[in-house]
Amino acid sequence: PKLSAICPALLAIDMEIRPSSGRTGWTSPDRWRCGCKRGRDGAPTGAPSLLFEAYENEVGEEVIITPLLGTNPLAVSLPTGDPDRPLTLDMATSAAARGKVTLAKKNGQSIPLGWGVDAEGNPTTDPEAVLSGGAMLPMGGPKGYAISLIIDVLCSCITGSADGQTMGSFYDFTRTQNSGYCFAALDLSRIVEPEVWSQRVQALLDTMRACPRQPGVEAIQIPGQPEQEKQERILREGIALSSAVEEIGRASCRERV
């Protein structure tokens, strides 16, 4: 799965050397595991990168009970002049990533209202109700639904991959999931000098950081900054697991001994 995602992403970045932009589509990579990482790979080369993937139907809509679309994530990475600090967006188009709901279930926690509905379409704070016959909700209501649908069309109709309603489940190992990706990269040097771009981006980000803050807010963070800082902390200190998740991992290991 990782290799199948890396190849088209790097191909798009390579393609942008010749025309002003490069685009690729990919089918059957079976998950977004390294989507954002591949987007960040483009930024140090000076190539703004956009990555999309369609998932199986896990997300409904406020007026529809049956899940129709996936959490359909997108990743955008823009160079800033600092190769270690690109401006990065990595997000699901659902109100929250489905993995957060799964983690809440494992930890015996509730979820915020607005994340999902039960099998009858009722708002719920019970992660089990969302995961067992219910559905995630799109971010921003109809706006998130629209963005998710566009990603579904780009990833399935360009590549011939399955769409959200026909895709195999990520948890069904008896068949190929057949999910699709869409990648794009832009050669900035054909439009603006890279140094000028970097100066403009840094000036804009500095303006954002200098904005007046609400009481108690220590700093204005830039998209991707919390994740970059968390990754650096994990590399130093390791990954912290809840006791419930740790026990699930240990039980899985015991089953395989």
Side-chain angles (χ1 to χ4, degrees):
K2 288 189 177 181
L3 287 177
S4 61
I6 292 169
C7 292
L10 296 182
L11 175 60
I13 294 167
D14 178 64
M15 287 171 61
E16 56 83 24
I17 295 174
R18 293 184 291 276
S20 60
S21 64
R23 298 155 303 278
T24 61
W26 207 252
T27 185
S28 299
D30 286 354
R31 218 57 176 175
W32 182 256
R33 298 294 184 193
C34 50
C36 185
K37 174 62 168 65
R38 302 283 70 77
R40 293 197 302 269
D41 284 347
T45 71
S49 304
L50 297 88
L51 298 83
F52 310 102
E53 188 196 2
Y55 276 0
E56 70 264 27
N57 55 342
E58 302 169 332
V59 180
E61 214 271 335
E62 292 181 347
V63 298
I64 302 171
I65 295 178
T66 304
L68 296 176
L69 299 167
T71 54
N72 295 2
L74 63 91
V76 181
S77 196
L78 307 178
T80 64
D82 182 350
D84 296 322
R85 282 287 187 270
L87 176 59
T88 301
L89 170 68
D90 176 22
M91 55 173 272
T93 50
S94 49
R98 185 178 174 91
K100 291 185 177 180
V101 179
T102 302
L103 184 60
K105 175 187 173 182
K106 292 178 179 178
N107 289 329
Q109 300 169 335
S110 60
I111 59 173
L113 277 174
W115 280 19
V117 295
D118 62 21
E120 283 72 47
N122 301 308
T124 182
T125 61
D126 181 3
E128 176 64 26
V130 174
L131 298 172
S132 301
M136 303 288 297
L137 286 175
M139 64 170 189
K143 294 181 180 179
Y145 160 72
I147 294 172
S148 183
L149 178 58
I150 287 173
I151 292 175
D152 204 52
V153 169
L154 287 173
C155 294
S156 65
C157 296
I158 290 177
T159 64
S161 302
D163 56 45
Q165 300 177 62
T166 60
M167 191 179 301
S169 170
F170 176 62
Y171 303 99
D172 180 1
F173 300 106
T174 65
R175 57 168 291 188
T176 300
Q177 189 181 25
N178 196 26
S179 57
Y181 281 74
C182 183
F183 302 85
L186 178 67
D187 183 358
L188 276 179
S189 65
R190 296 177 180 268
I191 303 171
V192 60
E193 289 294 330
E195 294 79 7
V196 173
W197 162 275
S198 297
Q199 292 170 2
R200 291 172 178 172
V201 171
Q202 286 296 342
L204 179 54
L205 297 183
D206 289 343
T207 301
M208 297 297 296
R209 294 187 180 101
C211 286
R213 303 187 294 274
Q214 293 282 355
V217 176
E218 295 183 1
I220 303 297
Q221 293 190 312
I222 301 302
Q225 181 182 343
E227 292 79 9
Q228 291 164 354
E229 293 176 351
K230 182 177 181 180
Q231 180 182 30
E232 292 168 356
R233 185 174 66 255
I234 287 173
L235 290 174
R236 292 193 309 268
E237 305 172 3
I239 300 174
L241 299 177
S242 68
S243 57
V245 172
E246 181 180 352
E247 178 53 33
I248 290 172
R250 291 184 182 278
S252 179
C253 291
R254 287 193 293 268
E255 291 175 0
R256 287 166 169 76
V257 173

